[in-house]
Amino acid sequence: MNILEQIKSPADLKYLSIPKMQALATQIRELIIKTVSQNGGHLAPCLGTVELTLALHKVFSCPRDKIVWDVGHQAYTHKILTGRRDKFSTLRKKNGITGFPNRFESIYDAFGAGHASTSISAALGMAVARDLNHENYNVIAVIGDGAMTGGEALEGLNNAGISKRKMIVILNDNEMSIAPNVGALSEYLSLIRVNEKYRRAKKDVHRILSSIPRIGNSVLKTANYVKDGFRNAIVPGGFFESLGFTYIGPTDGNNLEDLINVLEKIKINMDGPVLLHVQTKKGKGYIPAERHPDKFHGIGKFDIATGKPIVSDSIIPTYTAVFSQALVDLAAQDKNITAITAAMPSGTGLQKFSELYPSRFFDVGIAEEHAVTFAAGQATQGKHPIVAIYSTFSQRAYDQIIHDVALQNLPVVLCLDRAGLVGEDGPTHHGVFDMAYIRQIPNMVCMAPKDENELRQMLYSAIKYNSPCTIRYPRGSACGVEIQEEFSLVEKGKGELLSIGDDIAIIAVGSMVQEAIKAREELLNEKINCSVINARFIKPLDANLILATARKVKFIVTVEEGILAGGFGSAVLELLSDNNIYNVPVIRLGIKDKFIEQGTRQEILDECNLNSKSIVNAVKNFINGSDK
């Protein structure tokens, strides 16, 4: 019997027995595994939260009650249960459903999320709004143990505990135990805490002691000290209790019946902030994911029978792999090089470095702000810290980049992986803003390689510059050019003139240089001669090369895989204006003032007119328009 086909909304769960819900959990896992094997996505964490999601929707009544999912890696079951089962095959595809909670996609998605550690803050905001509006509904934040390492999560906990607002934080612990598991005592105390009689007894003791003349308050104060000391000594979650939360757990997050029982008691009996600690098994129900949860956290297409990824036959390395090897080679020459990541050692290519140089490798957890300032501290003492981070996550450390690195002119190198359009992860993960906000910062050098060899030389050069630097490079395979083993210095602020033509100049940066080269070849067939410049640097620009070229051509096209507002093309316009060159039109190709949705990387590049065909069309349209 296919129970899943009968579930049109979470309300349908209210009438299901525990055995039927357990059968439903199996069917949901089968659908998730099948879909992710074909589309890619976040598998292991979603498989671990099937029972938790079923229990939440069984006990609470969404969308009136609000469930806020942190990051969204855990929310596939939520999507399936909330009217998106029929569309689940479109997961992460262009015009399909997103891989993360999205308020524009469903009324059941209370808050959008793609970056970690935001759920508690958002949930507290909802709880405050609820109370100000004199309404009565539940607010639940679901956060993983990894996301709990983020600073914003701790800020949210601190504020929520002090506020005394009624809200629930569910800590989904799927990799490590945050507090010692003391077995039966822990479970016993947890059950007592959700018991109304125990809570009433505590109030009665407080009332009786307070009423004793002269000594009552002193006795009560002493009793509280003793109680707190005993609790923090033996009860897991003493840290959360000290912040003002009632801590419950650890609870088996894959035991559906127990979860429903605990959540029902919390819903009925508890006031104020509650933290429920559940322990789930990452990858549950799929043996390859259970054995290797790290590999199945975020994965591309794979074979269900074997669990092996389906990879292309290309022998061209990814930019991440080229960066990884270059860093290892440089570290062998320079013992002062260190590497820092914010919970992404594999994704950023630092795994090999961590194995070869473990004492010089630092994974600080999901804490980008700390990662950057931590690097700055190392730089003050003569180290050469390399912070490898996705472009989209570097946004979280903007203040630290300015205040702690650039203002002090410290030689920290930020290597921004996944810069530009990343594909199926969508708008929360596109790295399109870094050029615009980093080039504003004094003392900062900002580079983008045209190919893998240039990336290798730029990493070497960034360390030699002895100043704050960023290097941005895209997701996926590089260009397939020969890599020069010997390191050579890329002169700071020097671009590269790739071809000379008197009609127009195409000035491209990073990933767009190859498209500019292709466009030039196509335009030559139209008898249009182009100069092509590989800018290399977003900051500082090669002013001499750009100005000299601008004085020879009829117009300029700039091409960048980033936001146009304040980006590379804007920098070129500013340069021309500052040098009183007003008679050379500039066409800027890049990402317009909107968030870009998901799709394959090539689909989105085409949509944004970031390909050789679009460059050719822009040139021809301008020429045809100017001839009229």
Side-chain angles (χ1 to χ4, degrees):
M1 180 181 181
N2 195 321
I3 303 171
L4 181 55
E5 290 183 356
Q6 302 173 23
I7 305 299
K8 306 302 181 184
S9 75
D12 295 329
L13 298 177
K14 306 293 185 184
Y15 310 103
L16 291 185
S17 65
I18 295 298
K20 284 191 175 181
M21 291 188 71
Q22 290 169 336
L24 176 60
T26 299
Q27 293 172 11
I28 289 172
R29 283 195 169 90
E30 290 172 351
L31 177 58
I32 291 174
I33 293 167
K34 177 183 176 181
T35 303
V36 176
S37 73
Q38 297 170 352
N39 298 11
H42 294 94
L43 184 65
C46 284
L47 293 179
T49 56
V50 175
E51 286 84 5
L52 174 60
T53 310
L54 286 167
L56 283 168
H57 281 298
K58 174 84 167 179
V59 173
F60 297 99
S61 298
C62 297
R64 175 173 172 76
D65 292 329
K66 316 298 180 188
I67 302 176
V68 181
W69 298 93
D70 206 285
V71 184
H73 295 161
Q74 314 159 91
Y76 287 1
T77 301
H78 166 79
K79 285 180 176 267
I80 292 169
L81 295 174
T82 52
R84 286 167 277 185
R85 175 181 56 81
D86 291 342
K87 295 181 179 179
F88 198 65
S89 62
T90 70
L91 179 74
R92 302 176 78 245
K93 290 185 176 181
K94 189 171 176 60
N95 300 320
I97 64 172
T98 64
F100 302 96
N102 186 331
R103 294 181 65 246
F104 305 108
E105 186 176 285
S106 173
I107 59 173
Y108 291 97
D109 292 359
F111 197 77
H115 295 181
S117 312
T118 62
S119 60
I120 300 172
S121 299
L124 177 58
M126 293 175 188
V128 167
R130 173 200 63 202
D131 295 346
L132 290 174
N133 292 335
H134 306 290
E135 295 178 306
N136 182 28
Y137 54 82
N138 296 283
V139 181
I140 307 102
V142 184
I143 183 169
D145 54 330
M148 193 65 88
T149 66
E152 187 179 353
L154 300 178
E155 292 170 8
L157 280 174
N158 182 56
N159 194 200
I162 292 172
S163 78
K164 306 301 181 184
R165 307 275 179 181
K166 182 179 179 180
M167 63 178 288
I168 302 167
V169 174
I170 296 179
L171 172 57
N172 175 28
D173 176 5
N174 58 22
E175 287 188 326
M176 62 179 184
S177 180
I178 288 180
N181 186 348
V182 293
L185 177 60
S186 170
E187 293 180 12
Y188 173 71
L189 292 175
S190 296
L191 290 173
I192 287 178
R193 286 179 182 171
V194 296
N195 189 291
E196 175 62 27
K197 292 181 180 179
Y198 173 69
R199 294 174 62 248
R200 189 163 57 244
K202 286 203 301 183
K203 292 180 181 179
D204 289 343
V205 169
H206 190 285
R207 176 176 52 79
I208 292 168
L209 287 176
S210 299
S211 66
I212 300 175
R214 296 173 59 184
I215 66 168
N217 287 331
S218 297
V219 172
L220 179 63
K221 188 174 182 180
T222 301
N224 282 334
Y225 283 144
V226 173
K227 178 196 71 175
D228 290 344
F230 177 75
R231 177 193 64 205
N232 291 334
I234 69 167
V235 180
F239 167 72
F240 301 111
E241 294 265 357
S242 68
L243 290 175
F245 279 79
T246 298
Y247 173 87
I248 299 169
T251 298
D252 184 351
N254 295 120
N255 186 312
L256 191 55
E257 190 169 7
D258 285 356
L259 279 173
I260 292 172
N261 184 39
V262 170
L263 288 170
E264 285 282 8
K265 285 184 167 64
I266 293 173
K267 177 183 175 182
I268 296 169
N269 298 330
M270 307 298 285
D271 292 317
V274 176
L275 187 137
L276 172 61
H277 180 182
V278 302
Q279 293 178 312
T280 61
K281 186 173 183 61
K282 237 179 173 180
K284 183 174 176 60
Y286 182 54
I287 298 301
E290 289 185 10
R291 291 175 176 169
H292 304 285
D294 55 333
K295 294 180 180 179
F296 284 87
H297 175 84
I299 190 169
K301 296 179 181 181
F302 65 93
D303 178 70
I304 295 177
T306 64
K308 293 182 178 180
I310 298 173
V311 296
S312 69
D313 296 328
S314 174
I315 60 173
I316 299 174
T318 64
Y319 279 99
T320 304
V322 173
F323 159 76
S324 174
Q325 187 59 52
L327 182 59
V328 166
D329 292 346
L330 286 166
Q333 302 175 13
D334 186 346
K335 66 179 181 181
N336 284 318
I337 289 176
T338 64
I340 301 166
T341 183
M344 300 290 286
S346 296
T348 58
L350 292 185
Q351 191 66 42
K352 188 174 182 180
F353 184 100
S354 71
E355 295 166 359
L356 292 173
Y357 305 105
S359 66
R360 291 194 263 161
F361 169 74
F362 306 94
D363 183 347
V364 301
I366 303 177
E368 292 85 1
E369 300 95 327
H370 166 62
V372 171
T373 304
F374 174 58
Q378 290 189 18
T380 66
Q381 303 305 307
K383 298 302 177 185
H384 300 310
I386 310 296
V387 182
I389 191 170
Y390 288 6
S391 170
T392 184
F393 299 137
S394 70
Q395 297 159 189
R396 312 188 82 175
Y398 183 53
D399 178 63
Q400 287 71 26
I401 294 171
I402 295 175
H403 184 272
D404 300 331
V405 174
L407 182 61
Q408 301 183 85
N409 202 28
L410 293 171
V412 172
V413 179
L414 298 170
C415 294
L416 305 183
D417 201 331
R418 271 68 164 177
L421 297 163
V422 299
E424 293 85 352
D425 281 335
T428 59
H429 282 59
H430 293 320
V432 299
F433 301 105
D434 57 272
M435 284 190 287
Y437 67 72
I438 287 176
R439 79 173 190 87
Q440 305 168 13
I441 304 173
N443 294 332
M444 185 65 71
V445 175
C446 183
M447 296 180 275
K450 74 175 188 296
D451 56 40
E452 57 265 51
N453 183 58
E454 204 161 65
L455 170 58
R456 181 176 172 87
Q457 309 315 324
M458 282 182 174
L459 183 60
Y460 167 78
S461 302
I463 295 169
K464 294 299 182 182
Y465 293 157
N466 200 37
S467 68
C469 289
T470 64
I471 309 172
R472 72 183 316 260
Y473 43 95
R475 179 183 185 178
S477 296
C479 300
V481 305
E482 183 179 352
I483 296 178
Q484 174 189 331
E485 293 298 322
E486 291 295 320
F487 290 105
S488 60
L489 188 72
V490 178
E491 187 177 349
K492 186 189 297 185
K494 288 296 181 183
E496 181 183 27
L497 183 61
L498 299 176
S499 63
I500 300 174
D502 294 334
D503 292 327
I504 66 167
I506 304 173
I507 308 176
V509 65
S511 59
M512 291 294 103
V513 174
Q514 301 301 326
E515 298 302 317
I517 294 170
K518 294 177 189 176
R520 175 185 178 273
E521 297 300 321
E522 295 177 38
L523 288 167
L524 278 176
N525 295 331
E526 304 280 342
K527 307 301 182 184
I528 301 172
N529 294 315
C530 302
S531 292
V532 175
I533 293 175
N534 167 26
R536 285 180 172 161
F537 292 83
I538 297 98
K539 183 181 183 181
L541 292 176
D542 189 338
N544 291 334
L545 175 59
I546 293 174
L547 292 173
T549 303
R551 293 186 175 102
K552 297 177 181 178
V553 298
K554 298 171 184 175
F555 65 98
I556 292 171
V557 179
T558 65
V559 197
E560 60 194 297
E561 193 179 342
I563 200 79
L564 284 171
F568 172 72
S570 295
V572 173
L573 282 172
E574 292 164 14
L575 176 66
L576 297 177
S577 176
D578 290 345
N579 287 273
N580 301 315
I581 297 179
Y582 304 114
N583 61 338
V584 181
V586 177
I587 302 168
R588 294 180 303 142
L589 298 182
I591 296 168
K592 296 181 180 179
D593 188 23
K594 66 176 183 178
F595 291 106
I596 307 301
E597 297 302 324
Q598 67 195 30
T600 66
R601 177 167 153 75
Q602 193 56 57
E603 284 175 336
I604 304 172
L605 285 169
D606 293 344
E607 177 186 317
C608 294
N609 296 318
L610 292 176
N611 52 37
S612 59
K613 180 180 178 180
S614 296
I615 298 172
V616 170
N617 288 340
V619 169
K620 292 169 69 174
N621 289 339
F622 182 85
I623 292 174
N624 293 335
S626 64
D627 288 342
K628 292 180 180 177

